[in-house]
Amino acid sequence: MRARYIKPRSLAWWASVAPLICGLILASEPLHRLSLLVEIVRNMTGDMPASALIDMGLIGIGLRGAIR
């Protein structure tokens, strides 16, 4: 079985993984306590909620895999 959702050579895949990673960084702040990193990500994303970033990433990855 091929990995149909993991496409590291695809620009669309990376455009979907980036908000997912940013959302995970924001959501896990109490665990890693890297406040400076979280502040940088908040400034980059326009203070968007972590759940919205995670959803955007998962939707993009899902659509990318389903279009094939």
Side-chain angles (χ1 to χ4, degrees):
M1 181 176 159
R2 273 186 351 175
R4 89 186 228 208
Y5 293 101
I6 300 173
K7 303 286 185 185
R9 293 184 179 173
S10 168
L11 182 60
W13 186 79
W14 281 107
S16 299
V17 168
L20 176 63
I21 291 172
C22 289
L24 291 174
I25 289 170
L26 292 176
S28 62
E29 180 184 11
L31 298 175
H32 57 68
R33 297 184 183 168
L34 297 173
S35 301
L36 182 60
L37 176 63
V38 170
E39 191 62 32
I40 291 169
V41 171
R42 278 195 182 122
N43 288 335
M44 286 176 22
T45 61
D47 206 20
M48 190 175 281
S51 60
L53 290 168
I54 293 170
D55 289 345
M56 284 174 32
L58 291 176
I59 289 169
I61 292 171
L63 286 175
R64 170 65 177 94
I67 288 175
R68 173 122 166 80

